[in-house]
Amino acid sequence: ADAALRRALVRADAVVAAWGVPPRGFVERAEAVRRMLGGDVRCLGLTGGGHPRHPLYVRGDVPLVPLASLTQRSPGQTMAA
């Protein structure tokens, strides 16, 4: 799984993190994937627990923002467009 993710990251024009709240037992995996994603990653904001919001639970007009700028803020706080 990690090798496939790394291959996709190399070919990607843009990376959007949007997995939402991971199920119990997968929080560590979500954090490992977040670290693997590296630098210029976008998201639709963060959940209350600090995970990238899933698009199903976000209005359609919410802009993508840099994930790194949000992870340096408190969980659940979004950045103004």
Side-chain angles (χ1 to χ4, degrees), residues 10-79:
V10 169
R11 294 189 310 259
D13 292 328
V15 177
V16 178
W19 54 79
V21 178
R24 188 179 314 161
F26 287 90
V27 173
E28 288 181 17
R29 177 63 181 158
E31 290 306 314
V33 169
R34 184 188 298 219
R35 287 189 301 273
M36 193 182 315
L37 295 178
D40 187 23
V41 179
R42 304 279 174 168
C43 70
L44 296 165
L46 300 179
T47 66
H51 304 284
R53 289 184 181 271
H54 190 285
L56 184 62
Y57 304 106
V58 179
R59 288 178 25 173
D61 61 351
V62 172
L64 291 171
V65 294
L67 178 62
S69 69
L70 296 178
T71 56
Q72 297 171 4
R73 302 174 190 283
S74 54
Q77 183 179 5
T78 59
M79 190 170 120

